[in-house]
């Protein structure tokens, strides 16, 4: 395994759950950006591959929702991920960049929220306990 791939694999396997969610959102944004570029370039092979990778990450996030921990939050995310799946498929089939941009905007907003929440959790864990 080459150095860069080894680093990525090690980073993912040792990351905390909050870090993994942020990394998955970053991956969705990277692949959806590649899908957008494929649509702009009228390159269906590149776009299709990137859409598939984006959809794979959305499906993974949806499959790993913990409804037992926070049912209302889980339901809201499940609805969001279902909508994203619908819009991404439509965007790919119809070559509709506008629909893709809507999803990318929402992904960015949620990634930023997850990143902030994750950083807050890390700060709380590092803060000294006051008795």
């Amino acid at each position: 395994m080459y150095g860069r791939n080894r680093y990525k694999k090690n980073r993912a396997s040792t990351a905390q759950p909050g870090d993994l969610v942020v990394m998955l959102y970053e991956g969705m944004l990277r692949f959806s950006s590649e899908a957008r570029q494929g649509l702009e370039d009228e390159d269906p092979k590149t776009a299709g591959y990137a859409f598939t990778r984006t959809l794979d990450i959305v499906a993974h996030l949806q499959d790993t929702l913990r409804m037992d921990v926070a049912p209302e939050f889980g339901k809201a995310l499940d609805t969001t991920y279902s909508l994203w799946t619908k819009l991404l498929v439509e965007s790919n089939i119809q070559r509709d960049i506008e629909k893709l941009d809507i999803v990318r905007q929402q992904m960015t907003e949620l990634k930023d929220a997850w990143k902030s929440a994750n950083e807050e959790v890390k700060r709380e864990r590092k803060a000294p306990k006051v008795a």
Side-chain angles (χ1 to χ4, degrees):
M1 187 179 310
Y2 295 100
R4 182 174 168 89
N5 289 337
R6 187 178 312 143
Y7 168 77
K8 284 182 177 180
K9 186 173 182 176
N10 188 45
R11 181 174 173 226
S13 65
T14 60
Q16 296 296 315
D19 295 330
L20 286 173
V21 172
V22 172
M23 287 171 20
L24 287 167
Y25 271 83
E26 289 169 348
M28 281 191 301
L29 286 165
R30 184 178 72 248
F31 288 121
S32 63
S33 177
E34 291 174 11
R36 189 180 199 290
Q37 189 64 51
L39 291 178
E40 287 178 348
D41 295 344
E42 297 183 13
D43 180 357
K45 182 177 178 183
T46 298
Y49 176 78
F51 272 112
T52 299
R53 295 297 304 264
T54 305
L55 286 162
D56 287 345
I57 296 171
V58 174
H60 175 75
L61 287 167
Q62 192 166 21
D63 289 344
T64 57
L65 287 173
R66 295 279 316 268
M67 298 296 191
D68 59 317
V69 175
E72 291 176 15
F73 184 63
K75 178 69 174 154
L77 283 175
D78 185 56
T79 300
T80 299
Y81 295 151
S82 293
L83 177 62
W84 288 358
T85 298
K86 176 183 180 290
L87 290 173
L88 288 167
V89 169
E90 288 175 358
S91 177
N92 188 21
I93 291 169
Q94 300 166 0
R95 304 293 183 230
D96 188 336
I97 291 175
E98 198 171 304
K99 286 182 181 179
L100 178 57
D101 286 344
I102 290 168
V103 175
R104 286 182 43 75
Q105 177 62 38
Q106 292 175 5
M107 285 177 178
T108 300
E109 291 169 4
L110 268 175
K111 180 202 65 130
D112 293 344
W114 277 110
K115 190 172 184 178
S116 294
N118 190 40
E119 289 169 359
E120 180 63 29
V121 167
K122 287 179 179 180
R123 276 193 297 277
E124 288 176 9
R125 286 183 181 153
K126 289 182 181 180
K129 307 282 186 207
V130 179

